Amino acid sequence: MSDQTKGQRVRAVRKSIGLTQVEFAKVLGITQPFLTSVENDKKKPSETLIKFIELIASCHSTSEWFRLNVLIHKGDD
Protein backbone atom coordinates (compact mmCIF):
# COMPACT_ATOMS: atom_id res chain seq x y z
CA MET A 1 0.00 0.00 0.00
CA SER A 2 1.27 3.44 -0.89
CA ASP A 3 2.16 6.00 1.76
CA GLN A 4 1.29 8.82 -0.66
CA THR A 5 -1.62 11.11 0.03
CA LYS A 6 -4.25 11.55 -2.69
CA GLY A 7 -2.73 14.90 -3.54
CA GLN A 8 0.76 13.43 -3.87
CA ARG A 9 -0.61 10.68 -6.12
CA VAL A 10 -2.42 13.22 -8.33
CA ARG A 11 0.81 15.22 -8.64
CA ALA A 12 2.78 12.04 -9.44
CA VAL A 13 0.33 11.09 -12.19
CA ARG A 14 0.43 14.59 -13.67
CA LYS A 15 4.22 14.68 -13.67
CA SER A 16 4.52 11.15 -15.06
CA ILE A 17 2.60 12.19 -18.15
CA GLY A 18 4.53 15.42 -18.49
CA LEU A 19 1.73 17.94 -18.09
CA THR A 20 1.78 21.27 -16.29
CA GLN A 21 -0.92 22.03 -13.75
CA VAL A 22 -2.64 24.26 -16.31
CA GLU A 23 -2.65 21.49 -18.93
CA PHE A 24 -3.76 18.77 -16.52
CA ALA A 25 -6.51 20.96 -15.08
CA LYS A 26 -7.78 21.51 -18.63
CA VAL A 27 -7.80 17.75 -19.24
CA LEU A 28 -9.71 17.19 -16.01
CA GLY A 29 -12.16 20.03 -16.55
CA ILE A 30 -11.19 21.83 -13.36
CA THR A 31 -9.35 25.06 -12.61
CA GLN A 32 -5.61 25.18 -12.03
CA PRO A 33 -6.06 26.71 -8.54
CA PHE A 34 -8.33 23.80 -7.58
CA LEU A 35 -5.75 21.31 -8.89
CA THR A 36 -3.06 23.06 -6.84
CA SER A 37 -5.27 22.73 -3.75
CA VAL A 38 -5.83 19.02 -4.47
CA GLU A 39 -2.11 18.38 -4.99
CA ASN A 40 -1.37 20.17 -1.71
CA ASP A 41 -4.08 18.16 0.09
CA LYS A 42 -6.04 21.32 0.90
CA LYS A 43 -9.09 20.26 -1.14
CA LYS A 44 -10.55 16.79 -1.44
CA PRO A 45 -11.16 15.61 -5.02
CA SER A 46 -14.44 13.90 -5.83
CA GLU A 47 -14.46 10.16 -6.37
CA THR A 48 -15.36 10.84 -10.01
CA LEU A 49 -12.26 13.00 -10.43
CA ILE A 50 -10.09 10.35 -8.79
CA LYS A 51 -11.49 7.67 -11.11
CA PHE A 52 -10.81 9.89 -14.14
CA ILE A 53 -7.22 10.46 -13.00
CA GLU A 54 -6.79 6.70 -12.47
CA LEU A 55 -8.09 6.12 -16.00
CA ILE A 56 -5.62 8.64 -17.41
CA ALA A 57 -2.79 7.01 -15.46
CA SER A 58 -3.70 3.57 -16.75
CA CYS A 59 -3.88 4.81 -20.35
CA HIS A 60 -0.61 6.72 -20.19
CA SER A 61 1.69 3.88 -21.18
CA THR A 62 -0.53 2.66 -23.98
CA SER A 63 -1.60 3.86 -27.38
CA GLU A 64 -4.84 4.93 -25.67
CA TRP A 65 -2.93 7.81 -24.09
CA PHE A 66 -1.90 9.04 -27.53
CA ARG A 67 -5.52 8.99 -28.70
CA LEU A 68 -6.70 10.73 -25.52
CA ASN A 69 -3.99 13.37 -25.86
CA VAL A 70 -4.99 14.06 -29.48
CA LEU A 71 -8.62 14.50 -28.42
CA ILE A 72 -7.67 16.80 -25.56
CA HIS A 73 -5.59 19.10 -27.73
CA LYS A 74 -7.78 18.95 -30.83
CA GLY A 75 -9.19 22.45 -30.36
CA ASP A 76 -5.89 24.11 -29.40
CA ASP A 77 -4.99 25.31 -32.91
Side-chain angles (χ1 to χ4, degrees), residues 5-23:
T5 66
K6 282 186 180 181
Q8 290 169 332
R9 179 68 183 132
V10 170
R11 180 181 289 122
V13 169
R14 176 180 61 79
K15 287 187 172 200
S16 76
I17 57 180
L19 295 180
T20 66
Q21 283 188 337
V22 171
E23 292 167 333

Side-chain angles (χ1 to χ4, degrees), residues 26-27 66-77:
K26 181 179 177 183
V27 169
F66 177 76
R67 283 191 281 272
L68 178 62
N69 200 28
V70 168
L71 290 174
I72 290 164
H73 296 290
K74 187 175 183 180
D76 288 349
D77 295 335

Side-chain angles (χ1 to χ4, degrees), residues 55-75:
L55 175 65
I56 290 169
S58 69
C59 291
H60 174 248
S61 62
T62 68
S63 60
E64 289 299 316
W65 172 248
F66 177 76
R67 283 191 281 272
L68 178 62
N69 200 28
V70 168
L71 290 174
I72 290 164
H73 296 290
K74 187 175 183 180

Side-chain angles (χ1 to χ4, degrees), residues 4-49:
Q4 288 183 319
T5 66
K6 282 186 180 181
Q8 290 169 332
R9 179 68 183 132
V10 170
R11 180 181 289 122
V13 169
R14 176 180 61 79
K15 287 187 172 200
S16 76
I17 57 180
L19 295 180
T20 66
Q21 283 188 337
V22 171
E23 292 167 333
F24 200 42
K26 181 179 177 183
V27 169
L28 299 173
I30 61 175
T31 65
Q32 182 272 325
F34 182 75
L35 178 58
T36 298
S37 294
V38 168
E39 288 188 359
N40 291 325
D41 293 304
K42 293 183 179 184
K43 298 268 184 173
K44 183 180 177 190
S46 68
E47 287 303 312
T48 302
L49 184 60

